[in-house]
Amino acid sequence: MKFGTYVFEPKKAEGFDFHLFRVKPEVGRRLPPMSDMYSNIAIFGDNVTARNHPDWISQSPLGPAWRTNDNFNVRWDILCHTQPEHRAEQLDYIEDVARHSPGVWLNSIHFADHGHCTCPRCHALWEKSGLSWLEWRRKEVTDYMREVSERVRDRAKKKFVIGVLPDPVSSYERFGINFDDLAPLTDEFLVVMFSKNYATPWYWEMLTRGFKKLFKDVPLNIALYVFGPGDNPAEVPAPSELVTLSVRAGRAGADGILYLTDKASQIWDFQKAVVDRVELREKLKTYGCQEVLDFFKSWEKVVE
Ligand SMILES: [Zn+2]
């Protein structure tokens, strides 16, 4: 095994095998690469470019990929994957950064999420391809990564690492990523896997989506522990976490949700707490699953 640092400033900590410096993170700001640190570049998640070219933002039936769109887990503004000027500029930029550092590790290489991108250019490209919608997206991602790989590995002769989001099952449907396509193009993969600061319900939403895909037409029930037997009251999930998770599992396709408690009275406590979370339930209206919120609202009569 090897151990590295992954940092936002060009400084190397002692005691590691290698260092990865975020020369262009998703916020879009750019810093010069370092000759002795790998360079990390986010391609399509790019707040600066999105601000300068708002018409380049990725489009979908659930709205554009601005970071304020609660229908998706977007933490930054994401550009259309086929925007030609951005693609060309990033190719040259990535090659230049590769030449000035030991190699390039990429983030944000893919379509924003499921349903993206439905802009007129993407629609025309898809029609012209003769492929299914999902296969066309896969081809776009793979073809572009082949070009980037050629720039970094063949031209700059540097190490190349592709980063993907933590979803092993549904990355094809969501992002247009096929891991077998990308494997020959990259030296290694990177999966950013854990951050308390990241939206943690991401993982449970991802699991729901994954099981839904694998179970096909058989309905999927999920169980959420509200208060398990012997659970430490200080460590059970907050009602607000369970409310958020329920909405996100609902929009990812769960057909049924079970709330587990040791005692029936704990269900009532939970219902009361959910009813009291008026602001949160209001906020979640933009998250794309009204059915769950209507169900929670029906508890107002139960606990009054
Ligand atoms: Zn597009």
Side-chain angles (χ1 to χ4, degrees):
M1 282 178 81
K2 286 194 169 176
F3 299 90
T5 65
Y6 188 19
V7 292
F8 284 80
E9 61 171 352
K11 282 189 188 158
K12 295 197 296 178
E14 268 183 52
F16 288 86
D17 301 312
F18 67 96
H19 303 273
L20 179 55
F21 168 41
R22 307 209 68 182
V23 298
K24 178 185 176 247
E26 289 82 355
V27 293
R29 66 123 178 88
R30 303 180 189 199
L31 292 171
M34 299 291 287
S35 62
D36 52 359
M37 299 174 82
Y38 290 112
S39 300
N40 181 221
I41 295 170
I43 300 180
F44 295 102
D46 186 332
N47 294 354
V48 170
T49 305
R51 190 162 60 238
N52 293 336
H53 302 275
D55 53 318
W56 292 4
I57 198 81
S58 185
Q59 305 287 334
S60 86
L62 293 173
W66 296 112
R67 71 196 104 135
T68 48
N69 187 340
D70 292 332
N71 288 290
F72 300 101
N73 300 291
V74 286
R75 302 274 290 169
W76 35 80
D77 305 329
I78 303 179
L79 306 173
C80 164
H81 195 277
T82 67
Q83 210 301 319
E85 289 164 68
H86 186 66
R87 280 169 75 128
E89 191 274 334
Q90 288 292 284
L91 269 184
D92 292 341
Y93 171 67
I94 290 166
E95 182 180 339
D96 184 62
V97 168
R99 288 184 187 282
H100 293 92
S101 62
V104 170
W105 298 44
L106 293 181
N107 288 351
S108 199
I109 65 157
H110 45 76
F111 283 91
D113 208 328
H114 56 84
H116 286 265
C117 172
T118 54
C119 78
R121 177 184 48 251
C122 282
H123 193 84
L125 286 167
W126 166 49
E127 293 226 306
K128 199 172 149 215
S129 75
L131 298 168
S132 70
W133 169 246
L134 291 179
E135 279 296 285
W136 168 73
R137 293 182 354 136
R138 167 188 174 178
K139 189 174 180 309
E140 286 292 336
V141 172
T142 299
D143 286 353
Y144 188 57
M145 276 306 103
R146 189 176 295 115
E147 286 186 69
V148 181
S149 179
E150 197 257 333
R151 294 292 192 105
V152 177
R153 293 214 288 197
D154 302 340
R155 291 206 209 175
K157 307 256 184 263
K158 296 291 173 64
K159 179 169 171 162
F160 181 53
V161 178
I162 292 178
V164 296
L165 287 173
D167 189 338
V169 180
S170 303
S171 282
Y172 171 66
E173 293 83 354
R174 296 179 65 189
F175 311 119
I177 285 177
N178 178 287
F179 300 126
D180 291 338
D181 284 359
L182 301 185
L185 306 177
T186 193
D187 296 317
E188 298 174 12
F189 281 115
L190 169 67
V191 183
V192 174
M193 200 166 277
F194 178 74
S195 161
K196 290 277 276 188
N197 201 22
Y198 211 95
T200 302
W202 159 281
Y203 293 95
W204 317 117
E205 186 173 358
M206 179 267 289
L207 277 171
T208 304
R209 205 179 288 282
F211 279 117
K212 185 74 183 166
K213 175 181 170 181
L214 296 171
F215 292 169
K216 302 189 177 74
D217 295 333
V218 179
L220 164 67
N221 289 284
I222 62 168
L224 310 180
Y225 273 49
V226 177
F227 205 122
D231 276 1
N232 177 348
E235 287 175 4
V236 298
S240 57
E241 292 175 313
L242 292 165
V243 168
T244 303
L245 176 53
S246 299
V247 168
R248 293 180 63 157
R251 76 178 181 185
D255 298 288
I257 303 178
L258 293 80
Y259 297 93
L260 182 143
T261 59
D262 190 18
K263 300 193 167 47
S265 65
Q266 291 163 331
I267 290 282
W268 193 90
D269 293 341
F270 173 58
Q271 289 174 302
K272 180 82 178 68
V274 171
V275 166
D276 288 345
R277 300 297 187 283
V278 178
E279 250 176 65
L280 174 62
R281 289 189 284 126
E282 192 59 35
K283 181 181 147 223
L284 290 171
K285 280 185 176 169
T286 52
Y287 275 58
C289 192
Q290 190 58 37
E291 197 180 352
V292 169
L293 293 172
D294 288 345
F295 171 65
F296 287 148
K297 186 163 177 55
S298 74
W299 288 352
E300 288 172 1
K301 289 199 177 65
V302 176
V303 300
E304 72 187 6

